[in-house]
Amino acid sequence: MLLGAAAGVALTVVLAAVLWWPRSETVYRSHQPSQVTYGDKFRHHAGLVRVRSLAGDESYRLTVGRDPGLSYGHAVEIDAALGEAGIESSHWTAAGLRIEFGSGHTLFVPARQFTYGR
């Protein structure tokens, strides 16, 4: 009987961990257009990722770099209010990437921050 109760508790803990495990979701993607080039000769990608923690908190991260999966690159933590407002547009130039949020805020990431494997 004690063994069955212990197994029930363990199963409950495992199930709760699976249901509350941190999850991430890419809510916006942008890719460097072909007419914009950088010295490292790679195509670069940007994405806004929403992360939900075990406690249910949400945070946002903008990642810019050459990895299309957004697992590596220059990361900028974004205020939750900006993340929730969403990205309206992105403008790639030789100087860098300008992001415009639905709230009216603008963020500029200089190319030197995401080129050459950064």
Side-chain angles (χ1 to χ4, degrees), residues 1-98:
M1 183 142 164
L2 186 59
L3 186 59
V9 169
L11 182 60
T12 301
V13 169
V14 168
L15 183 60
V18 168
L19 291 175
W20 287 97
W21 197 257
R23 293 185 163 99
S24 62
E25 172 188 14
T26 303
V27 295
Y28 180 86
R29 282 189 181 274
S30 178
H31 309 284
Q32 168 191 337
S34 59
Q35 64 267 28
V36 177
T37 59
Y38 299 106
D40 63 358
K41 307 295 184 209
F42 284 95
R43 184 169 189 220
H44 297 85
H45 311 271
L48 183 63
V49 177
R50 176 176 46 215
V51 179
R52 291 192 175 108
S53 73
L54 285 173
D57 298 328
E58 284 188 354
S59 62
Y60 290 83
R61 180 183 68 247
L62 175 72
T63 302
V64 187
R66 61 186 185 194
D67 176 21
L70 305 174
S71 63
Y72 177 79
H74 182 71
V76 179
E77 294 299 318
I78 302 296
D79 183 82
L82 288 179
E84 290 169 8
I87 294 177
E88 290 288 319
S89 62
S90 55
H91 304 281
W92 297 83
T93 66
L97 173 63
R98 183 171 309 283

Side-chain angles (χ1 to χ4, degrees), residues 95-118:
L97 173 63
R98 183 171 309 283
I99 299 287
E100 295 177 7
F101 291 88
S103 63
H105 290 84
T106 301
L107 173 70
F108 181 74
V109 182
R112 71 178 179 277
Q113 297 298 326
F114 60 84
T115 55
Y116 295 97
R118 294 186 184 124

